[in-house]
Amino acid sequence: PAVFPLSCAVQNYSWGKVGMASEVAKLVASSDPLVQIQPDLPYAELWMGTHPRGDAVIGDNRIPQKTLGQWIADNPACLGAKVKDAFQGRLPFLFKVLSVNTALSIQAHPNKELAAKLHAQFPEHYPDDNHKPEMAIALTPFEGLCGFRPVEEIVSFLQSVPELRALIGEVAAEQLERSGSDDPRGVSAALRVCFTRLMKSEKKFFVDQLNMLVKRISQEAAEGKDTSGSNGDLLLRLHSQYPGDIGCFTIYFLNLLRLEPGEALFLGANEPHAYLQGDCVECMACSDNTVRAGLTPKFIDVLTLCEMLNYTPAPSSSKIFPATQSQLDPSIYLYDPPVPDFTIMRIEIPSSIKLYLVSAIDSASILLVIQGTAVGTSTAAASEMTLRPGSVLFISANESISLHLSSPDGMLLFRACCLL
């Protein structure tokens, strides 16, 4: 068989949504009725792929290999000729579902050159030498911080949040205020100085300033005042999740992005970001390299982060990545990022369609069911497959699947692949 169901790894990170409030838990429970969802455990991520820390288990006992990683190693042609050659016989992407309850760390992912250097110097913190571009597509309303805000917004916060100005210092603040839009390099340089000053400020000093700020905003909020000029709501929320954390101040530098279901965010190398809350599907190059600097109990590497970041300010609207509707099949919306490692398809099958062909492509792919039920048949599958929310299928290159829909409301599927 070259098409088969997968049973995928769940990661119970502390920031995840808890119990059945989590989209990850709902999908897992729906796909496998035998799984007991624990009501007080966070279900943060579902990993669909071959990453050694969560290699998917093959759900077909006629296949001798236990995991997808082992099977691909033994059957590399399943990747498709181009993908196999370009990525040394390995699946180039990791596909995930995330259910975010509390903020993930302020982080960025290195480009290939930096990844190789970090991995050589600090393998215990940077486990591989690959880049990690990633894309998130909202399943529920999704919030995150991403990329540097337009300078005028940052300057406005520097003027209305004295605690922020104290941490950055008058010289750096004025340099940013004076930098003109006609000199983008000057703007980036001033932004780099301001952000680095913030991130490297003395612990005791920034904790005092943060406490003063939180106290002031709390009082203003209690008096019914508008705290939006100090981004008050988000500050209090992050501070309640990570008290005394420098990351709370990054809300004055980074765009706050709100995605509606189906909207996407692409994060290239060196783009600062932090997911805040909501559920999404995510696809990334197969890497675990993350440089962190706040909103986290994990290893933080402020120097590397401040050195590597892309200090180009841009409005939050520019961060939303558009999907294009397929010319060949109007059910397919394509999210095709500017990197070769992965592409995602959102497949929305209307209720009027009862038979749908998941077409063959020249790449291995992973298919995830979010909504709806069907029976899948394929000449490359050992038997027919029941598909319901949470079902995950591996589809070898150049194989197709016929879906016989049984749900009255149509289906919503996501398919990750590599279109070279």
Side-chain angles (χ1 to χ4, degrees):
V3 171
F4 43 82
L6 297 174
S7 170
C8 297
V10 171
Q11 308 288 358
N12 304 101
Y13 305 137
S14 58
W15 49 259
K17 291 188 183 180
V18 173
M20 287 300 277
S22 162
E23 185 68 26
V24 169
K26 285 180 196 154
L27 291 169
V28 168
S30 157
S31 70
D32 184 353
L34 298 175
V35 169
Q36 289 282 305
I37 298 298
Q38 296 172 31
D40 48 0
L41 193 64
Y43 289 80
E45 299 194 1
L46 181 68
W47 285 21
M48 300 167 280
T50 57
H51 194 285
R53 294 208 318 222
D55 198 356
V57 173
I58 294 172
D60 182 334
N61 52 20
R62 283 159 289 211
I63 295 176
Q65 294 86 351
K66 284 278 172 282
T67 70
L68 181 60
Q70 294 166 348
W71 192 84
I72 291 176
D74 292 343
N75 301 276
C78 76
L79 294 169
K82 286 187 194 149
V83 177
K84 179 185 141 202
D85 289 350
F87 295 99
Q88 293 82 47
R90 289 195 282 269
L91 188 70
F93 57 82
L94 178 58
F95 196 25
K96 296 182 177 184
V97 179
L98 271 63
S99 287
V100 180
N101 180 42
T102 58
L104 278 69
S105 53
I106 304 286
Q107 54 183 247
H109 305 295
N111 59 22
K112 284 200 162 157
E113 195 183 354
L114 178 61
K117 196 175 107 181
L118 290 173
H119 175 62
Q121 287 178 319
F122 312 107
E124 67 283 14
H125 298 306
Y126 301 104
D128 56 76
D129 60 5
N130 200 11
H131 68 164
K132 191 187 171 184
E134 53 192 21
M135 177 175 273
I137 305 173
L139 292 173
T140 59
F142 191 80
E143 273 190 338
L145 298 172
C146 172
F148 284 97
R149 294 173 176 269
V151 171
E152 48 278 16
E153 292 179 21
I154 300 173
V155 165
S156 153
F157 286 131
L158 281 173
Q159 290 165 356
S160 58
V161 184
E163 298 84 355
L164 175 67
R165 198 174 183 99
L167 284 178
I168 281 162
E170 205 48 48
V171 177
E174 284 175 12
Q175 188 186 342
L176 189 66
E177 285 165 342
R178 283 198 309 267
S179 66
S181 51
D182 53 343
D183 176 19
R185 288 180 65 174
V187 168
S188 294
L191 196 49
R192 173 189 288 264
V193 170
C194 286
F195 191 73
T196 305
R197 295 268 322 210
L198 170 70
M199 297 309 286
K200 289 169 75 174
S201 49
E202 201 55 57
K203 171 107 186 172
K204 181 175 177 344
F205 186 43
F206 83 67
V207 170
D208 286 347
Q209 294 296 329
L210 182 56
N211 288 340
M212 277 162 57
L213 175 59
V214 167
K215 189 175 168 186
R216 181 167 67 78
I217 301 282
S218 304
Q219 281 169 347
E220 288 177 13
E223 293 161 14
K225 289 186 185 157
D226 174 21
T227 62
S228 61
S230 311
N231 213 342
D233 293 349
L234 182 56
L235 177 81
L236 296 180
R237 192 169 101 208
L238 289 183
H239 186 260
S240 71
Q241 294 173 12
Y242 298 95
D245 191 301
I246 191 68
C248 296
F249 279 107
T250 59
I251 62 173
Y252 300 119
F253 282 92
L254 305 180
N255 285 302
L256 175 61
L257 218 64
R258 291 195 171 89
L259 299 180
E260 291 305 313
E263 288 190 316
L265 169 64
F266 173 69
L267 296 162
N270 305 333
E271 188 80 278
H273 62 280
Y275 296 158
L276 299 178
Q277 67 175 16
D279 306 273
C280 68
V281 294
E282 189 183 52
C283 199
M284 62 193 60
C286 207
S287 162
D288 240 356
N289 283 326
T290 300
V291 184
R292 298 183 179 82
L295 301 182
T296 179
K298 294 185 183 172
F299 172 75
I300 64 176
D301 190 347
V302 173
L303 270 168
T304 300
L305 189 85
C306 291
E307 278 295 305
M308 70 189 269
L309 290 182
N310 166 18
Y311 289 98
T312 310
S316 59
S317 56
S318 68
K319 302 296 173 188
I320 294 181
F321 190 89
T324 52
Q325 193 170 15
S326 163
Q327 298 292 301
L328 302 170
D329 178 349
S331 299
I332 296 180
Y333 293 82
L334 207 61
Y335 302 83
D336 191 15
V339 292
D341 311 62
F342 60 86
T343 297
I344 306 179
M345 299 175 191
R346 181 177 97 237
I347 307 174
E348 288 184 20
I349 310 171
S351 53
S352 56
I353 293 182
K354 291 300 170 216
L355 182 59
Y356 179 83
L357 183 73
V358 178
S359 53
I361 51 177
D362 191 23
S363 160
S365 63
I366 292 178
L367 184 72
L368 165 69
V369 182
I370 297 291
Q371 289 159 12
T373 53
V375 172
T377 56
S378 170
T379 52
S383 54
E384 55 180 43
M385 300 160 289
T386 309
L387 297 186
R388 48 172 94 87
S391 295
V392 181
L393 294 184
F394 178 78
I395 308 173
S396 293
N398 308 306
E399 301 293 354
S400 60
I401 302 178
S402 297
L403 299 183
H404 307 258
L405 277 71
S406 48
S407 46
D409 307 325
M411 290 187 87
L412 174 60
L413 314 162
F414 285 91
R415 183 182 190 184
C417 58
C418 179
L419 299 180
L420 293 177

